[in-house]
Amino acid sequence: MEKLKKRLLKFAKERDWEKFHTPKNMAMSLSCEVAELLEHFVWLTEEESTQVMKDPQKAEAIRQEIGDVMNNIVYLADLLGVDPIQAAHDKIPLNEQKYPIDVAQEISRRHKR
Amino acid sequence: MEKLKKRLLKFAKERDWEKFHTPKNMAMSLSCEVAELLEHFVWLTEEESTQVMKDPQKAEAIRQEIGDVMNNIVYLADLLGVDPIQAAHDKIPLNEQKYPIDVAQEISRRHKR
Amino acid sequence: MEKLKKRLLKFAKERDWEKFHTPKNMAMSLSCEVAELLEHFVWLTEEESTQVMKDPQKAEAIRQEIGDVMNNIVYLADLLGVDPIQAAHDKIPLNEQKYPIDVAQEISRRHKR
Amino acid sequence: MEKLKKRLLKFAKERDWEKFHTPKNMAMSLSCEVAELLEHFVWLTEEESTQVMKDPQKAEAIRQEIGDVMNNIVYLADLLGVDPIQAAHDKIPLNEQKYPIDVAQEISRRHKR
């Protein structure tokens, strides 16, 4: 992760692109990258979406979009002085409080699949 | 990162929510989380966006949204059998090819800030 | 549609909000509104999504999100000097060329539902 | 608008694509179209974004994206039995209540541009 951050900063610095990389712009860019990932799933059924990586060409395209999303969020987090892995860990107990196990299981029971 | 994945899988399993977590649905969920992060930046100038973390309340809210985005992409990558950090690293040389340094610097020169 | 545009411009003018409403910001805002609409569908099956308007409370919430998306795109189009209905009409023949009927029907045949 | 709806339904019917067009899928597709519009604005300053239509090639590309967004939201609204223009009108008084003029003007005063 540290190495990834360094490579991303170097990429931007070499291109004199740091001036474009404000938090506002990086958040917009992240939205676009996520939509490119989403695009692969729009017309698939949920079932088909679980099999999508069996097609090597699609698998590679999706893997690249995941790479773009990761690079974007890691870069944006760095700009904002946030450790993304730590922020992810710290959100879990908040989500546990927000969705208590018994309430969540009840939701699950009501939605048969 | 390994620990994070395990905590996310445990969170879903305890709630019987795994059946909802198809790649299609997780990609949709990721789009929603990214929009919640984006929302913090819509009405800020680019300059203001660089100062946003000085307000402790906003900083905490943004940190939590980054956590949500990370949890979502890490979970989705795991579903698809992709190592997100490796995918991020592997995308960098492709971006270097796509945006050669001299071309990129020329773009930078044309856009004064 | 003309009346709608006038009401939106009046809403912004009365609040001295026109200065915030640059095309860049309105496009970001549109992304956020669309995500609020998307949120209603994340955990539904496709089948459930066809029944979602039977619940009056959800129906009203979704109707309001559609209203927000429309207001946003109509306002943004006006900012950019685009007639949104005309732009929509003009895109149809381009989509017809992009997806010829025989090719499109073949895609349909390959994806049983 | 009525004519637009009819053309969109005909487009889908001729291609046997109606089975793909569940509300869930159309909401996803809308997110992707909006991101394609957003993409044009990511690296522009707000000021540059106000001038973007002066470039005829970009103007045409943006106009087409607005057309795609409109077609998508109009089609989705129709699927859900919602009149999009009426929903847009009905949302305005709710937004007026949410952002009273005096509060909104105060926000405006605090954010010099």
Side-chain angles (χ1 to χ4, degrees), chain A residues 34-47:
Chain A
V34 164
E36 287 178 29
L37 179 54
L38 185 65
E39 231 180 298
H40 288 278
F41 298 101
V42 174
W43 307 116
L44 304 184
T45 62
E46 289 186 58
E47 172 59 24

Side-chain angles (χ1 to χ4, degrees), chain B residues 24-25 43 45 48 111 113, chain D residues 24-25 43 45 48 113:
Chain B
K24 181 178 177 104
N25 289 1
W43 307 116
T45 62
E48 285 168 347
H111 292 272
R113 298 269 159 136
Chain D
K24 182 180 177 100
N25 289 0
W43 307 116
T45 61
E48 286 168 346
R113 300 273 158 132

Side-chain angles (χ1 to χ4, degrees), chain C residues 54-77:
Chain C
K54 289 187 178 166
D55 175 330
Q57 226 175 328
K58 278 191 192 156
E60 177 54 23
I62 287 171
R63 205 176 168 275
Q64 289 187 17
E65 298 302 349
I66 291 174
D68 276 332
V69 171
M70 280 296 291
N71 282 331
N72 222 302
I73 185 71
V74 167
Y75 191 102
L76 173 57

Side-chain angles (χ1 to χ4, degrees), chain B residues 1-23:
Chain B
M1 179 60 90
E2 276 314 306
K3 204 183 149 202
L4 183 60
K5 266 193 250 178
K6 271 179 201 151
R7 289 182 78 184
L8 295 171
L9 293 173
K10 184 167 170 281
F11 179 89
K13 197 180 174 63
E14 282 173 351
R15 282 159 182 77
D16 297 330
W17 279 6
E18 287 151 321
K19 65 182 174 184
F20 300 122
H21 293 174
T22 57

Side-chain angles (χ1 to χ4, degrees), chain D residues 5-6 13 15 23 28 30 33 38 42 44 48-49 57 63 69-70 78 82 86 92 94 97 107-108:
Chain D
K5 267 193 251 179
K6 270 179 202 153
K13 196 181 176 61
R15 283 159 183 77
M28 290 175 80
L30 176 61
E33 296 300 352
L38 186 64
V42 174
L44 304 185
E48 286 168 346
S49 82
Q57 226 175 329
R63 205 176 167 275
V69 171
M70 279 297 290
D78 187 65
V82 170
Q86 192 56 50
I92 293 176
L94 301 177
Q97 275 186 291
I107 292 172
S108 180

Side-chain angles (χ1 to χ4, degrees), chain D residues 50-65:
Chain D
T50 66
Q51 306 298 315
V52 74
M53 302 303 274
K54 288 186 178 167
D55 175 331
Q57 226 175 329
K58 279 192 192 156
E60 178 53 23
I62 287 172
R63 205 176 167 275
Q64 288 187 18
E65 298 302 349

Side-chain angles (χ1 to χ4, degrees), chain C:
Chain C
M1 179 60 89
E2 276 313 306
K3 202 183 151 203
L4 182 59
K5 265 193 252 180
K6 270 178 200 152
R7 289 182 78 184
L8 294 171
L9 293 174
K10 183 166 171 282
F11 179 88
K13 196 182 177 59
E14 283 174 349
R15 283 158 182 77
D16 297 329
W17 279 7
E18 288 151 321
K19 65 182 174 184
F20 299 122
H21 293 174
T22 57
K24 182 179 176 102
N25 289 1
M26 291 310 291
M28 290 175 80
S29 175
L30 177 61
S31 292
C32 294
E33 297 299 353
V34 164
E36 288 178 28
L37 179 55
L38 186 64
E39 231 180 298
H40 288 278
F41 298 101
V42 174
W43 307 116
L44 304 184
T45 62
E46 289 186 58
E47 171 59 25
E48 285 167 347
S49 82
T50 66
Q51 306 299 315
V52 74
M53 301 305 273
K54 289 187 178 166
D55 175 330
Q57 226 175 328
K58 278 191 192 156
E60 177 54 23
I62 287 171
R63 205 176 168 275
Q64 289 187 17
E65 298 302 349
I66 291 174
D68 276 332
V69 171
M70 280 296 291
N71 282 331
N72 222 302
I73 185 71
V74 167
Y75 191 102
L76 173 57
D78 186 65
L79 268 185
L80 297 171
V82 170
D83 174 336
I85 302 276
Q86 193 55 49
H89 273 292
D90 293 349
K91 193 65 200 324
I92 294 176
L94 300 177
N95 289 345
E96 285 170 347
Q97 275 187 290
K98 197 171 162 188
Y99 305 105
I101 289 179
D102 54 344
V103 177
Q105 286 180 341
E106 177 53 29
I107 292 172
S108 179
R109 263 190 298 276
R110 281 207 312 270
H111 291 271
K112 294 273 172 281
R113 300 268 159 134

Side-chain angles (χ1 to χ4, degrees), chain D residues 80-97:
Chain D
L80 296 170
V82 170
D83 175 337
I85 302 276
Q86 192 56 50
H89 273 292
D90 292 349
K91 193 64 198 330
I92 293 176
L94 301 177
N95 289 345
E96 285 170 347
Q97 275 186 291

